[in-house]
Amino acid sequence: MRAKKFFLHRPASLDEAIALKAQHGDAATFHAGGTELLVALKAHVLQYQHVIDLKQITRLKGVRVKDDGTISIGALTSHDTLANDPIIRESLPGYAQLSEHVANIRVRIAGTLGGVLCFAEPHADAPTMLCALDAWVVLLGPNGEREVPSRDFHLGEFVTAREDDEILLAIEVAPQSRGTRSAYRSFGHTERPAVGVGAVWSTDNPQRLSLWAGAIAASPVRLARAEDAAAGLPADLPADEIWRHLAPAIAADAEAIDAHDDLHGGADYKRHLVSVLAERAIKACLP
């Protein structure tokens, strides 16, 4: 099936892109990597008369470290670039590893981080890990820039906090301490995860675990009982003892998730996967 005809605009600047959206309103949409949007247009799930291609805007590409140490990822940075970027591999190795396994090589090369976040398809890897990393997104609209924490950005299936006339500029992560490690583990029968779990373990004082499950619900889910249980553990416990203490809390977190049967598996199966993948992710973070 072919997409219905549309006008393709290629602005050279953010101001031009914002102006085009204001001019064409609901008849226009922004275009990043296109791995999600073009499929939806061809299936006639979405229809637009104007598509505003952002790929000519260089400010939206690449990874840099800001003066305060914050890692800033341009929204049009591809998954393949993130998997191989030296800054990401050194500072966020867990996220680099995630990027190496997104979907397939075509999607990794063409697909962008900003695109997958804005499309908000629930069975995606990136949102879960970004929530665990306490990342935030930077948005630009007619009224200027604003920041939204990643955990508040995902509102549900195909729904985000981004306004229709806003462009996602960057995804940012605070500097990671020497005592912080991160990991992501997922499993699925297709190129999309049935369940993914992102973990960030910090041995700094106080000890802290950030643990999120994704793809199992409409948006990433925080495993709060496990996080609370980790906060009370002695810092010198061996990995097996840490898991023994956390396992009941993670099982309770998983049981409370409002999962549904779908082509990725039954609800009980996916809840079981949360516990299995959480164990793997946490142990990968431990010394």
Side-chain angles (χ1 to χ4, degrees):
M1 190 179 294
R2 293 185 177 181
K4 291 189 175 182
K5 290 184 178 180
F6 54 81
F7 293 96
L8 180 64
H9 305 269
R10 287 177 171 162
S13 69
L14 288 167
D15 288 343
E16 186 181 351
I18 294 291
L20 282 166
K21 182 66 172 115
Q23 178 183 350
H24 298 293
D26 292 341
T29 188
F30 295 117
H31 167 44
T35 57
E36 304 275 17
L37 176 63
L38 293 180
V39 172
L41 290 174
K42 289 178 180 178
H44 295 182
V45 175
L46 297 176
Q47 293 183 24
Y48 293 100
Q49 297 174 17
H50 300 269
V51 173
I52 304 168
D53 186 347
L54 303 174
K55 291 195 288 294
Q56 306 302 313
I57 304 175
T58 56
R59 181 183 167 186
L60 298 177
K61 300 177 182 179
V63 180
R64 67 187 183 95
V65 179
K66 299 169 73 171
D67 291 343
D68 63 356
T70 296
I71 300 166
S72 183
I73 304 169
L76 293 191
T77 307
S78 71
H79 305 297
D80 184 65
T81 297
L82 290 169
N84 295 287
D85 184 90
I87 295 172
I88 300 299
R89 293 187 72 86
E90 179 180 354
S91 301
L92 303 172
Y95 194 86
Q97 185 178 38
L98 177 158
S99 298
E100 288 177 351
H101 297 94
V102 168
N104 56 58
I105 187 60
R106 183 189 69 82
V107 170
R108 290 194 291 275
I109 290 175
T112 64
L113 178 54
V116 75
L117 295 183
C118 290
F119 200 75
E121 208 283 347
H123 288 275
D125 297 290
T128 307
M129 192 69 228
L130 292 175
C131 284
L133 286 166
D134 291 329
W136 62 93
V137 301
V138 183
L139 300 165
L140 174 68
N143 298 319
E145 291 187 18
R146 67 186 180 106
E147 296 180 353
V148 179
S150 185
R151 59 189 59 189
D152 297 329
F153 183 71
H154 310 283
L155 303 180
E157 248 182 282
F158 304 105
V159 182
T160 73
R162 183 185 72 88
E163 298 294 339
D164 189 55
D165 57 357
E166 289 183 313
I167 295 172
L168 198 160
L169 296 182
I171 300 89
E172 298 189 339
V173 182
Q176 303 293 291
S177 70
R178 291 182 179 274
T180 298
R181 299 187 183 188
S182 60
Y184 176 79
R185 296 292 183 269
S186 66
F187 182 80
H189 304 285
T190 67
E191 291 181 343
R192 296 186 182 276
V195 174
V197 174
V200 178
W201 186 280
S202 175
T203 57
D204 298 336
N205 191 12
Q207 183 170 265
R208 176 178 175 268
L209 170 67
S210 179
L211 192 66
W212 287 71
I216 190 172
S219 57
V221 180
R222 185 177 190 176
L223 305 184
R225 295 178 181 86
E227 292 181 351
D228 291 342
L233 294 179
D236 57 351
L237 275 183
D240 287 343
E241 280 296 300
I242 289 175
W243 176 247
R244 187 175 68 81
H245 283 82
L246 295 184
I250 290 173
D253 280 324
E255 186 61 31
I257 296 174
D258 184 20
H260 300 281
D261 299 341
D262 59 22
L263 61 84
H264 297 276
D268 288 341
Y269 165 72
K270 289 187 282 188
R271 293 189 189 101
H272 171 69
L273 277 180
V274 170
S275 293
V276 173
L277 296 171
E279 178 178 10
R280 295 177 183 177
I282 289 171
K283 286 185 175 179
C285 292
L286 299 175

